[in-house]
Amino acid sequence: MDRKIKKCPQCGHNNNWLSDVCANCSTSLENVAVVALDEEISKQSGVVGKDEAKAPDVAQRTAETFRLSSASAQLESMNPSGLRFTLSGTAVLGRGADIDLTCLPESTAISRRHSKVTLETGKWYIEDLDSANGTFVNGMKLQPNLRHEIESGTKIALGNVHFIFKVS
């Protein structure tokens, strides 16, 4: 199943296909065409069609950083590898949330407001927002609405979508 995006003509950020304004630079996306993420990856990597097997390092070469604001920490996707989501302060993770994860394969397992990552007094925390498929830290399922401290190298799963948390 193709993931649809709107690519910002100003900064190149891949936005949710329903967005009217770029989440990165606030440029209007009203007249921007919706494209399939697979198509965009193929354009960037030189792969013809959807046969990504011909370019084994496609995920590496097409890695993008999705920015909320200034970098403090990142969630790095484990599949596809190389996609990084930059976190700063407090951010809700989900489909169409502050950190929009709809560009990931299997994003249908992620709730709209799946979990929240918070930086408080120099420590990072993650909290499940009563998601349908759960939030896991190093394989342990979190109880909804209870914060759990995380540090660089922590493995996080939102449903069956896996990340590594890295502090910058």
Side-chain angles (χ1 to χ4, degrees):
M1 180 165 119
D2 290 339
R3 300 282 177 232
K4 299 182 212 174
I5 62 165
K6 281 187 180 178
K7 186 167 190 78
C8 178
Q10 183 70 29
C11 70
H13 179 75
N14 291 342
N15 292 277
N16 182 304
W17 69 282
L18 298 171
S19 298
D20 290 329
V21 176
C22 177
N24 188 46
C25 70
S26 301
T27 298
S28 173
L29 301 174
E30 288 184 22
N31 296 319
V32 175
V34 174
V35 296
L37 183 61
D38 291 346
E39 221 174 273
E40 189 60 33
I41 288 172
S42 295
K43 282 184 204 171
Q44 291 174 5
S45 64
V47 177
V48 178
K50 293 184 183 176
D51 189 8
E52 295 175 21
K54 292 181 183 175
D57 59 343
V58 168
Q60 192 109 31
R61 291 190 324 217
T62 61
E64 295 193 30
T65 300
F66 295 79
R67 300 185 187 282
L68 181 59
S69 61
S70 63
S72 293
Q74 295 182 339
L75 276 180
E76 186 172 320
S77 172
M78 294 172 72
N79 186 19
S81 63
L83 288 176
R84 282 168 262 144
F85 301 87
T86 301
L87 307 169
S88 178
T90 297
V92 174
L93 311 174
R95 292 182 292 115
D98 297 333
I99 302 296
D100 186 359
L101 303 174
T102 55
C103 65
L104 295 172
E106 308 298 327
S107 67
T108 54
I110 299 173
S111 297
R112 291 179 197 271
R113 293 179 43 85
H114 196 103
S115 60
K116 179 169 66 173
V117 175
T118 307
L119 174 62
E120 189 176 298
T121 61
K123 293 183 179 181
W124 287 94
Y125 299 91
I126 190 165
E127 169 182 352
D128 183 78
L129 298 176
D130 206 17
S131 63
N133 293 312
T135 300
F136 299 80
V137 172
N138 293 327
M140 180 186 75
K141 186 173 183 176
L142 300 183
Q143 293 296 317
N145 304 307
L146 293 176
R147 294 186 329 166
H148 185 86
E149 188 175 343
I150 54 176
E151 56 189 28
S152 197
T154 299
K155 293 178 182 176
I156 296 172
L158 307 181
N160 61 350
V161 182
H162 298 268
F163 302 91
I164 302 239
F165 179 77
K166 295 183 177 181
V167 177
S168 305

